[in-house]
């Protein structure tokens, strides 16, 4: 929440093309940590309690606006990319208030925070501290800065002998002494409500023709207003991702940040550098995460769960004591307490497992509800089915739920024993405590407690192999020496 006495508006600059990304996707839509980069800025603004969030779009505007639809932000399009000053004014025009006509700041005027759509690592806590400092010092213009041993490429923060910020000098225009300055400008600012009016006084750069938001500093000074800097403790927070290597670096930093938080909260990550856990995931205490695990979306993992190596789990709920074995894939599934899944299992959306369910290797479920104690140990497909408690599903069982056009539902009762390699041709109902003989193709309902056998009668044809292989004796002798010798003995 924004605890200041003035409301806060946020302008997010997201109009750039990002040519170094070499992509048809707008730069700010490239994901880091499971979200488009620009969505991290929106999230930060909203966590600060901003009354209004304006995203300035330009290159790929329709795509950016579609990606952020429904998030509660307002959009402002920058018609021509003419620099950060022009982008700021585009956004300011969409704010509920942009200062009084006289240029004075009124008690109910909002501060304006400027963020960027390509800096996904900036923490809301840092911005909150910056806002507090801005208002505690009665600052009109506060610059978020950092320090580097070598700040080459950044604008430098120039201070006077008293430590006050006097200028922002860009790299190209810096003297040798100014280039030696280690404090750099991040481009993130907090300003009072006069900013839009002052920004209209910015003149285009004589070389590039662009309008630079950094010129606001001199305009605030000319208005007799105080300007200050708030220095970052962690410069990684303002690291921008300008190309694919930058994306990978940001992803690694965010991954370490999230994983460290989980470990400090009581989660065991055996090899945290290999785990990707999105910030929307919740993990209980004493969860063990083996190498290579990926956790996405609104996944909720209760205490005491073990997640096997290289499992991928998305938008799923895992109750206490669940064991997910290696290489399993879960999406939109719920797994009841004490159940185990895998290895190499796949639970698709709508899969709901009760307590103590066993799903073994190469078992796939979809829109399937399995009650407590159900066991499906091997090589089964269970789609559009409900299965009662303690039912045993043999290896190779298939619920044939699709007729080529429509999906059909099957209901299997409690305590049912389904033999290996059985096929249930939906829609079917199988009564409680029924048996299905191995290899059956079930095309009728089965009453409670009945045994269903649906397979052809076995018939043995003597001498078949000799006649069959004998017709290919020459090829058999070339490729199958044991069989060729067998034929010779007949």
């Amino acid at each position: 929440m924004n605890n200041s006495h003035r409301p806060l508006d946020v302008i997010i600059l997201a109009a750039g093309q990002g040519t170094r990304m070499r992509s048809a996707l707008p730069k700010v839509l490239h994901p880091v940590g499971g979200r488009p980069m620009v969505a991290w800025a929106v999230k930060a603004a909203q966590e600060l309690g901003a009354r209004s969030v304006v995203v300035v779009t330009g290159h790929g505007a329709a795509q950016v606006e579609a990606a952020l639809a429904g998030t509660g932000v307002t959009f402002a399009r920058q018609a021509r990319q003419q620099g950060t000053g022009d982008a700021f004014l585009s956004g300011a025009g969409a704010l509920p208030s942009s200062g009084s006509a006289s240029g004075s700041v009124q008690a109910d005027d909002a501060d304006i925070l400027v963020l960027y759509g390509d800096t996904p690592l900036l923490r809301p806590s840092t911005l909150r501290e910056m806002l507090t400092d801005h208002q505690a010092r009665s600052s009109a213009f506060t610059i978020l800065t950092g320090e580097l041993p070598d700040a080459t490429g950044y604008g430098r923060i120039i201070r006077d002998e008293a430590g006050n910020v006097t200028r922002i000098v860009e790299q190209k225009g810096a003297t040798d002494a100014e280039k030696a300055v280690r404090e750099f400008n991040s481009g993130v600012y907090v300003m009072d409500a006069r900013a839009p009016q002052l920004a209209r006084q910015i003149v285009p750069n004589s070389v590039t023709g662009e309008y630079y938001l950094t010129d606001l500093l001199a305009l605030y000074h000319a208005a007799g207003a105080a300007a200050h800097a708030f220095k970052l403790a962690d410069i990684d927070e303002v690291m921008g991702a300008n190309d694919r290597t930058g994306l990978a670096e940001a992803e690694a930093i965010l991954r370490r940040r999230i994983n460290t938080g989980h470990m400090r909260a009581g989660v065991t990550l055996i090899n945290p550098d290999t785990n990707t856990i999105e910030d929307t995931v919740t993990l209980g205490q004493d969860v063990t995460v083996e190498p290579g695990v990926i956790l996405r979306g609104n996944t909720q993992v209760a205490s005491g769960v073990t997640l096997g190596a290289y499992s991928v789990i998305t938008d799923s709920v895992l109750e206490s004591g669940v064991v997910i074995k290696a290489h399993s894939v879960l999406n939109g599934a719920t797994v009841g307490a004490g159940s185990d899944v895998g290895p190499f299992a796949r639970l698709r959306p709508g899969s709901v497992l009760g307590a103590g369910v066993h799903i073994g290797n190469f078992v796939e479920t979809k829109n399937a509800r399995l009650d407590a104690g159900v066991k499906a140990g091997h090589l089964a497909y269970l789609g559009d089915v409900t299965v009662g408690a303690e039912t045993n599903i043999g290896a190779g069982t298939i619920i044939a739920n699709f007729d080529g056009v429509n999906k059909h539902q099957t209901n299997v009762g409690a305590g049912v024993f389904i033999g290996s390699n059985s096929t249930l041709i939906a829609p079917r109902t199988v009564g409680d405590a029924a048996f299905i003989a191995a290899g059956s193709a079930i095309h009728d309902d089965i009453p409670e407690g009945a045994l269903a056998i649906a397979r052809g009668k076995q018939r043995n044809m003597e001498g078949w192999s000799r006649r069959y292989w004998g017709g290919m004796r020459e090829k058999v002798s070339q490729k199958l020496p044991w069989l060729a010798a067998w034929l010779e003995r007949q």
Side-chain angles (χ1 to χ4, degrees):
M1 293 293 292
N2 173 28
N3 296 320
S4 64
H5 64 277
R6 291 196 297 269
L8 176 69
D9 293 326
V10 178
I11 296 174
I12 300 171
L13 306 186
Q17 184 173 1
T19 54
R20 282 180 285 174
M21 202 65 77
R22 296 185 180 274
S23 174
L25 187 70
K27 174 184 176 182
V28 298
L29 292 186
H30 282 267
V32 172
R35 302 173 192 267
M37 287 195 288
V38 67
W40 285 103
V42 171
K43 180 176 182 285
Q46 292 173 337
E47 287 187 15
L48 292 171
R51 71 171 184 180
S52 178
V53 180
V54 177
V55 178
V56 180
T57 60
H59 177 74
Q63 290 173 273
V64 176
E65 291 166 12
L68 296 177
T71 60
V73 304
T74 300
F75 299 104
R77 292 198 180 184
Q78 185 183 16
R80 296 179 302 277
Q81 278 69 67
Q82 293 182 302
T84 53
D86 178 63
F88 171 76
L89 282 175
S90 298
L95 292 176
S97 173
S98 57
S100 62
S102 65
S104 63
V105 180
Q106 300 184 5
D108 61 349
D109 284 330
D111 285 325
I112 301 172
L113 170 64
V114 176
L115 299 176
Y116 295 84
D118 63 349
T119 53
L121 302 177
L122 192 51
R123 290 183 173 97
S125 59
T126 298
L127 294 172
R128 194 174 291 111
E129 291 170 5
M130 181 185 179
L131 288 166
T132 299
D133 183 77
H134 170 79
Q135 297 200 357
R137 299 169 73 177
S138 299
S139 180
F141 186 70
T142 299
I143 308 159
L144 184 64
T145 69
E147 240 183 62
L148 285 168
D150 180 0
T152 299
Y154 289 94
R156 306 303 205 283
I157 301 298
I158 307 301
R159 297 176 182 261
D160 61 19
E161 293 180 355
N164 298 310
V165 177
T166 59
R167 291 180 298 140
I168 302 172
V169 179
E170 296 301 329
Q171 172 79 23
K172 291 181 180 178
T175 65
D176 288 343
E178 289 166 343
K179 288 177 182 178
V181 172
R182 298 169 61 185
E183 189 176 10
F184 67 90
N185 172 31
S186 74
V188 174
Y189 311 104
V190 182
M191 55 198 77
D192 67 22
R194 288 173 289 185
Q197 181 184 356
L198 291 173
R200 295 185 188 100
Q201 300 175 39
I202 296 173
V203 297
N205 181 274
S206 59
V207 177
T208 65
E210 294 187 343
Y211 298 80
Y212 293 138
L213 195 54
T214 51
D215 290 350
L216 266 182
L217 176 61
L219 292 167
Y220 268 107
H221 281 320
H228 298 94
F230 180 81
K231 192 177 291 186
L232 277 164
D234 178 5
I235 60 171
D236 283 344
E237 291 192 46
V238 291
M239 185 186 81
N242 297 315
D243 56 21
R244 306 301 177 118
T245 60
L247 282 176
E249 290 169 6
E251 184 80 35
I253 292 168
L254 187 61
R255 181 171 61 245
R256 286 194 296 271
R257 185 187 295 177
I258 291 172
N259 291 355
T260 297
H262 285 301
M263 288 186 287
R264 288 176 176 165
V267 174
T268 296
L269 304 183
I270 294 172
N271 188 350
D273 288 341
T274 68
N275 297 131
T276 298
I277 304 173
E278 294 180 359
D279 73 311
T280 48
V281 172
T282 59
L283 301 176
Q285 289 185 347
D286 295 317
V287 168
T288 298
V289 183
E290 295 182 357
V293 171
I294 298 173
L295 303 176
R296 296 178 173 143
N298 295 315
T299 293
Q300 302 171 43
V301 182
S303 61
V305 169
T306 297
L307 304 177
Y310 303 101
S311 293
V312 180
I313 302 173
T314 306
D315 294 328
S316 296
V317 176
L318 279 57
E319 298 179 3
S320 60
V322 163
V323 175
I324 305 297
K325 297 177 183 176
H327 297 281
S328 294
V329 177
L330 284 68
N331 184 7
T334 298
V335 183
S339 294
D340 67 284
V341 175
F344 295 98
R346 184 183 182 195
L347 273 55
R348 292 166 56 192
S351 296
V352 179
L353 311 187
V357 169
H358 168 62
I359 296 292
N361 51 285
F362 300 104
V363 174
E364 178 179 355
T365 66
K366 188 272 294 184
N367 192 27
R369 179 176 292 273
L370 279 56
D371 289 346
V374 169
K375 293 179 174 58
H378 327 271
L379 303 162
Y381 172 69
L382 309 175
D384 299 294
V385 64
T386 62
V387 182
E390 299 180 16
T391 286
N392 185 87
I393 300 169
T397 294
I398 295 173
I399 306 296
N401 57 337
F402 187 48
D403 65 7
V405 177
N406 300 303
K407 299 289 180 70
H408 298 279
Q409 183 73 25
T410 291
N411 298 299
V412 177
V416 172
F417 186 93
I418 302 177
S420 297
N421 288 326
S422 293
T423 301
L424 281 67
I425 303 170
R428 290 282 70 79
T429 296
V430 179
D432 294 342
F435 272 74
I436 297 176
S440 293
I442 301 300
H443 51 80
D444 287 319
D445 292 347
I446 304 172
E448 179 177 346
L451 167 64
I453 304 173
R455 59 193 183 200
K457 183 178 180 181
Q458 181 173 327
R459 187 160 60 107
N460 297 334
M461 299 177 66
E462 296 290 339
W464 169 263
S465 293
R466 185 179 66 254
R467 294 191 296 274
Y468 179 78
W469 295 117
M472 298 181 283
R473 187 178 295 270
E474 183 176 347
K475 289 185 178 180
V476 168
S477 64
Q478 294 172 357
K479 295 184 177 182
L480 302 169
W482 183 92
L483 196 56
W486 179 85
L487 284 172
E488 291 298 324
R489 294 195 301 269
Q490 301 306 305

